[in-house]
Amino acid sequence: AMFAILAERLLVSEGVEILYGTYIADTVTKNGFITHLIIESKSGRQAISVKAAVDCTGDADLCSFSGEDTALHGKGNILAAWYYYAANGKYDLCMHGCCDAPDVTLLENRRYSGVEGRELSQMVQRSHQEVYDHYIKRYGGIAENKGIASLATIPQVRMTRRLEGRYTMAESEAFCDFSDSVGLFSDWRKAGPVFALPFGTLIGKKVKNLTVAGRCISVKDDLWD
């Protein structure tokens, strides 16, 4: 939380305008360039002109709105219902289900793309039902000294939609060199592999002033995680 406050102060001091509670609803694209972003907030719907845009939505929303090529994760997301609970004077995390667990641990026989509004709402409600059922089964009912302390505030999806970029990278390309590399990253799941990140994974084939960052860059399913 302190990092978030300090980052906000730094951005403001550098002249960045931050718009909280604001969502990208669409784009205006002409001749392969995004000219305007259509945003929605408490002020209603507005258009702001831009010279360039970076898609950090995690779901390649900006890519999709502007007509850039995208791809969905092949397997989709399975239901996760993580929650914090209080028991006997302490708090703990219950990792009930997991969005990348083997199929044998599925909480339900369904997968979610993560890019459709009603589907995401259904996923959150199913997650809440799973939390409730899991709690009741654990304690045999609602107990005075044991309670659910915190639910997930967003749908628990991780790999949804990504850019289909000028280059699509695979997990087999660890330790490979790229002439357009913009940096190195590691594998958070295990020690050892190092990947050079080619710029082609951050840019598309159609929209000239759009780049992406984060989990929606152009990588194959095996590297997405």
Side-chain angles (χ1 to χ4, degrees), residues 69-86:
D69 292 337
T70 60
L72 294 176
H73 189 264
K75 288 188 175 181
N77 294 264
I78 62 178
L79 187 67
W82 291 23
Y83 64 96
Y84 282 92
Y85 64 96

Side-chain angles (χ1 to χ4, degrees), residues 77-78 80 82 97-103 105 158-159 188-189 225:
N77 294 264
I78 62 178
W82 291 23
C98 186
C99 48
D100 57 0
D103 289 356
T105 65
R158 291 180 59 203
M159 292 166 282
W188 68 271
R189 302 164 300 179
D225 189 39

Side-chain angles (χ1 to χ4, degrees), residues 75-158:
K75 288 188 175 181
N77 294 264
I78 62 178
L79 187 67
W82 291 23
Y83 64 96
Y84 282 92
Y85 64 96
N88 303 317
K90 71 173 189 174
Y91 292 92
D92 208 349
L93 171 65
C94 179
M95 296 184 287
H96 186 48
C98 186
C99 48
D100 57 0
D103 289 356
V104 293
T105 65
L106 288 177
L107 298 181
E108 62 172 352
N109 188 26
R110 177 179 175 180
R111 291 185 177 271
Y112 299 85
S113 72
V115 295
E116 199 277 318
R118 278 197 171 87
E119 178 200 57
L120 285 171
S121 292
Q122 293 168 3
M123 185 181 191
V124 171
Q125 292 174 71
R126 284 289 302 120
S127 172
H128 292 168
Q129 184 64 50
E130 276 292 335
V131 169
Y132 176 83
D133 292 344
H134 191 255
Y135 171 89
I136 295 297
K137 183 178 180 180
R138 168 181 282 182
Y139 298 118
I142 298 176
E144 287 187 11
N145 63 336
K146 301 177 179 67
I148 297 170
S150 178
L151 296 170
T153 56
I154 59 174
Q156 297 181 68
V157 296
R158 291 180 59 203

Side-chain angles (χ1 to χ4, degrees), residues 47-88:
I48 55 175
S49 61
V50 296
K51 293 181 179 178
V54 182
D55 190 333
C56 302
T57 63
D59 302 313
D61 291 341
L62 202 50
C63 294
S64 178
F65 292 148
S66 61
E68 187 54 83
D69 292 337
T70 60
L72 294 176
H73 189 264
K75 288 188 175 181
N77 294 264
I78 62 178
L79 187 67
W82 291 23
Y83 64 96
Y84 282 92
Y85 64 96
N88 303 317

Side-chain angles (χ1 to χ4, degrees), residues 205-216:
K205 306 165 188 173
K206 295 179 178 179
V207 184
K208 299 178 178 64
N209 62 339
L210 173 65
T211 55
V212 302
R215 71 183 189 194
C216 57

